[in-house]
Amino acid sequence: EIHSGKEWKSVTLTPKFYVALTGTSSLISGLIFIFEWWYFQKYGTSFIEQVSVSHLRPLIGGVENSPPVPGFSANNGENETNRQSLSECKVWRNPLNLFRGAEYSRYTWVTGKEPLTYYDMNLSAQDHQTFFTCDTDSLRPSDTVMQKAWRERNPQARIKAAYQALELDNDCATAYVLLAEEEATTIIHAEKYFKQALKAGETVYRKSQHCHPQNSQHEAQLRRDTNVLVYVKRRLAMCARKLGRIKEAVKMMRDLMKEFPLLSMLNIHENLLEALLELQAYADVQAVLAKYDDISLPKSAAICYTAALLKARAVSDRFSPEAASRRGLSTAEINAVEAIHRAVEFNPHVPKYLLEMKSLILPPEHILKRGDSEAVAYAFFHLQHWKRIEGALNLLHCTWEGTFRMIPYPLEKGHLFYPYPSCTETADRELLPTFHDVSVYPQKELPFFIHFTAGLCSFSAMLAVLTHQFPELMVIFAKAVSIVSSPGLA
């Protein structure tokens, strides 16, 4: 009933109206649920919740001003948080990154998929400009051309510019580097280019060393020429490793680390570890770990999981979970399990790739430590080493999930490392291709609004079905509800 003027008008609502109303409500809530689910899967958060927090709370004055703590500046606290966040989300060059032309491009030709994201390739372009250019490039025409080449987005334009630089100077090392990385379609072809780059790079490096003027420009040029030489020698060692000349690769890496000991931030020791594991030279691997698995040095999945692999090797061939539960763990087994727990805490994404619970993809050119990108890069090269040691994967399978009992709140407090950074998922989605299902840790619970919209959709759909099947009863029920909810109109 509707009151108009001085008279009451009676309006009769048919069952079809109630069916349409509840059906429309179910459809709308279902669409909202589908969108919320898609948004959560893609971005890891609720769209409604994000809009509410970002836009609605400030409008209704929901920002709380907490009183300042004596002796603590709020601004300083924010700065410290921001600084920690930035350091946690720092992206590193993948020490074992593949060759664009000989490996990544071949994958694209076969599958039609792009293994590298635009963000990843853009980071590489920035790296190349940092490593291979300097302020004195204008003094040499070939370097000027290469400076523009590293900024080119089109691969064919970069290759064309490299040939132009070689026409101007046949000893342009960076031009050979670009051709080795992007034009060469096989490792053998790439190695030939790198050998030419080495010859040219050593000549330029010696000239820079013996150049008398000691000024900022000379220092920048020497640093650039050093970067080129180190890069070329490292890539040559990686070519030797890929072509099966493992001992030669190990020697080249050791010589490079001795010649340039201050360039440890390039993580050449990770290339060395992988090559030594291929040789099964486990004593040499342990010696490298003794130097680089130090509390004062930054960790990586390669360091932590290789240490765990060596500990597991001592016991894995005779490890049995049933026997261990009966007699307890021996000291060596305890050490192995603790090493696995340490590795899993550092990067919890790795075990699923090693145990082949998730499919591998080609590793990106850049990785985020403790993230899924680092896990992919590590497992891609080291899965074979775990398989080679009898029982190692079985020991990992039996023990890795026990790590999570020690760190029930990994985002708030760690056991052996800092709390797990919350920014890894966002950064990994930028580094890894869209066809890869990014691993998320810790697993996020479904937001309230997804549960709410799912319930609303189900409830309204049920009402629509009941109204369609029992129209008279539902009309009486609707009238009773309206009377109860609006007693003033009764």
Side-chain angles (χ1 to χ4, degrees), residues 4-253:
S4 176
K6 296 183 178 179
E7 298 180 356
W8 291 92
K9 294 182 180 180
S10 178
V11 178
T12 302
L13 300 179
T14 65
K16 289 184 178 180
F17 170 80
Y18 289 107
V19 172
L21 178 64
T22 52
T24 304
S25 300
S26 176
L27 176 64
I28 293 173
S29 56
L31 292 174
I32 294 174
F33 167 73
I34 293 171
F35 176 76
E36 274 283 290
W37 177 264
W38 170 82
Y39 194 88
F40 174 75
Q41 291 296 319
K42 187 172 180 63
Y43 300 106
T45 186
S46 163
F47 176 78
I48 299 175
E49 184 178 329
Q50 189 177 30
V51 170
S52 302
V53 171
S54 303
H55 298 88
L56 299 182
R57 182 185 286 183
L59 294 177
I60 62 177
V63 179
E64 298 179 358
N65 295 320
S66 56
V69 179
F72 179 80
S73 168
N75 290 333
N76 288 342
E78 290 175 4
N79 291 338
E80 285 298 326
T81 302
N82 292 337
R83 196 176 299 118
Q84 183 180 3
S85 177
L86 287 172
S87 64
E88 286 175 345
C89 293
K90 180 181 177 182
V91 174
W92 298 74
R93 183 86 175 169
N94 181 2
L96 286 81
N97 66 303
L98 304 178
F99 293 84
R100 287 258 183 109
E103 292 172 306
Y104 289 120
S105 293
R106 291 169 72 89
Y107 176 85
T108 303
W109 299 337
V110 173
T111 65
K113 297 178 180 179
E114 289 290 343
L116 297 176
T117 64
Y118 173 78
Y119 175 67
D120 193 14
M121 290 189 289
N122 189 49
L123 289 174
S124 295
Q126 294 176 26
D127 291 341
H128 295 150
Q129 292 174 54
T130 302
F131 293 159
F132 305 142
T133 64
C134 67
D135 296 336
T136 63
D137 283 345
S138 57
L139 302 178
R140 293 188 291 199
S142 58
D143 288 338
T144 303
V145 173
M146 287 307 300
Q147 192 174 54
K148 294 177 182 177
W150 296 120
R151 296 193 181 115
E152 283 284 353
R153 291 187 178 182
N154 188 306
Q156 294 305 317
R158 288 196 294 271
I159 292 170
K160 183 179 178 181
Y163 278 115
Q164 290 175 353
L166 288 175
E167 289 176 4
L168 295 170
D169 180 6
N170 196 44
D171 287 333
C172 182
T174 52
Y176 288 119
V177 168
L178 192 148
L179 294 175
E181 292 288 351
E182 303 200 26
E183 191 198 39
T185 56
T186 65
I187 300 299
I188 294 175
H189 194 190
E191 187 180 40
K192 289 179 180 177
Y193 275 132
F194 275 122
K195 285 181 178 178
Q196 290 174 288
L198 178 62
K199 184 179 178 181
E202 285 180 332
T203 302
V204 174
Y205 177 69
R206 282 195 294 268
K207 287 180 180 178
S208 297
Q209 275 187 314
H210 296 97
C211 190
H212 294 297
Q214 297 294 327
N215 52 42
S216 58
Q217 284 189 337
H218 170 258
E219 290 176 0
Q221 184 173 331
L222 178 60
R223 183 165 56 250
R224 189 275 306 275
D225 294 337
T226 303
N227 289 339
V228 172
L229 188 62
V230 171
Y231 185 92
V232 169
K233 287 187 174 185
R234 180 184 198 164
R235 291 307 248 178
L236 276 171
M238 293 174 72
C239 286
R241 162 67 184 92
K242 291 174 185 290
L243 293 171
R245 306 195 307 269
I246 316 295
K247 291 183 178 179
E248 179 185 341
V250 167
K251 183 180 184 306
M252 293 170 73
M253 292 172 192

Side-chain angles (χ1 to χ4, degrees), residues 21 37 66 82 98 101 150 172 177 189-190 193 272 310-311 316 328-329 360 387 432 445 460 471 477:
L21 178 64
W37 177 264
S66 56
N82 292 337
L98 304 178
W150 296 120
C172 182
V177 168
H189 194 190
Y193 275 132
L272 179 61
L310 292 190
K311 294 281 179 65
S316 60
L329 294 174
L360 273 171
K387 285 185 173 181
L432 297 168
E445 296 181 0
S460 53
F477 174 74

